[in-house]
Amino acid sequence: MARIDIGRVFYALGDPTRRAIVDRLSAAPSSVSRLAAPLEITVTAVAQHLAVLEECGLVKTEKVGRVRTCRIESAGFDALQGWIAEHRTMWERRLDALGDIVDEE
Amino acid sequence: MARIDIGRVFYALGDPTRRAIVDRLSAAPSSVSRLAAPLEITVTAVAQHLAVLEECGLVKTEKVGRVRTCRIESAGFDALQGWIAEHRTMWERRLDALGDIVDEE
DNA sequence: TCGATTGTCAAGTCACCACTTCACTATTTT
DNA sequence: AAAATAGTGAAGTGGTGACTTGACAATCGA
């Protein structure tokens, strides 16, 4: 299991087309051209997006015959959730520590 | 409470400098120029990043006198967590539904 | 084996965004 | 009042990334 670059995950999900792909794959696995159909872009463009999503552990693909089947992968989501949890506790602990005192230098 | 565009949140966090800002603000509130110091960019650039972070509910700022104080805001994080939870349940429910049967047309 | 389907590779185009500079305003300190 | 501090606004530049096209490879159905 390769370590995941959280920056790439955010970057990947920053693009609306890639989020649309993730949406569809969350509902059901799909081939590349089936993903391309509703989005109005070329199959090539979709393949490029898939490479980005795969690189950061959000999607896993497998080619059988001439069809590449794409599925959601949890690793990227796990990394995301971890990042949020980390930051949340970081600042919530701070808020707990001092009632509402301001911080110095 | 304005509704948050999850796309903007991902976009905002896709940039390493903005993540660095969020990191620092998670630890403690800060002024604009204090944020700029360790990052090797101009105060102007930092202000631009802050505008992005503020727009999507990750940061809240308040100007008192000539100093603008920046703090973490939870709205953006809440939206993030919601998005992840949504997608996670979407595909996990699917996995539960059918043992390991493939899906048709 | 021929044609259609599914995807890949390489290269190019165009818009956008992170950053800069420079001029400026407002507040605080001496 | 003068000088220093903190930030804002407008405009420009360069690099990156989302897309395209066109040529190709491999697999599948007739």
Side-chain angles (χ1 to χ4, degrees):
Chain A
M1 40 178 94
R3 211 158 85 280
I4 283 167
D5 179 356
I6 190 69
R8 291 303 287 178
V9 177
F10 282 123
Y11 160 74
L13 292 173
D15 180 79
T17 304
R18 280 193 290 264
R19 277 200 310 284
I21 291 176
V22 167
D23 283 356
R24 296 225 19 227
L25 293 182
S26 293
S30 172
S31 71
V32 177
S33 47
R34 198 115 66 80
L35 281 173
L39 313 169
E40 296 192 332
I41 55 178
T42 50
V43 175
T44 303
V46 172
Q48 287 165 356
H49 284 306
L50 285 168
V52 172
L53 291 169
E54 195 162 13
E55 181 217 6
C56 65
L58 287 166
V59 162
K60 186 178 45 174
T61 78
E62 183 196 13
K63 191 164 185 180
V64 169
R66 62 184 170 180
V67 176
R68 176 173 296 276
T69 302
C70 313
R71 308 170 183 283
I72 286 288
E73 202 190 358
S74 67
F77 291 84
D78 295 345
L80 255 186
Q81 199 137 37
W83 187 91
I84 297 172
E86 234 174 78
H87 284 256
R88 215 181 257 290
T89 55
M90 208 189 309
W91 93 73
E92 275 171 359
R93 177 165 21 184
R94 178 164 55 75
L95 292 184
D96 291 354
L98 27 111
D100 30 3
I101 317 299
V102 200
D103 52 331
E104 23 62 77
E105 169 55 29
Chain B
M1 43 178 93
R3 212 163 77 283
I4 284 167
D5 179 355
I6 189 69
R8 293 301 290 178
V9 177
F10 282 123
Y11 160 73
L13 292 173
D15 180 80
T17 304
R18 281 192 290 264
R19 276 201 310 285
I21 291 175
V22 168
D23 283 355
R24 294 227 19 227
L25 293 182
S26 293
S30 172
S31 71
V32 177
S33 47
R34 198 114 67 81
L35 281 174
L39 313 169
E40 297 193 333
I41 55 179
T42 50
V43 176
T44 304
V46 172
Q48 287 166 356
H49 283 307
L50 285 168
V52 172
L53 291 168
E54 195 161 15
E55 182 216 6
C56 66
L58 287 166
V59 163
K60 186 177 43 173
T61 77
E62 184 197 11
K63 191 163 183 177
V64 170
R66 62 183 170 182
V67 176
R68 178 173 295 276
T69 302
C70 315
R71 308 170 182 282
I72 286 289
E73 202 190 358
S74 67
F77 290 84
D78 295 345
L80 255 186
Q81 200 137 37
W83 187 90
I84 296 173
E86 234 173 78
H87 284 255
R88 214 181 258 290
T89 57
M90 208 188 307
W91 92 73
E92 275 172 358
R93 176 164 22 183
R94 178 165 55 75
L95 291 184
D96 290 355
L98 27 110
D100 30 4
I101 316 301
V102 201
D103 51 331
E104 23 61 77
E105 169 56 26

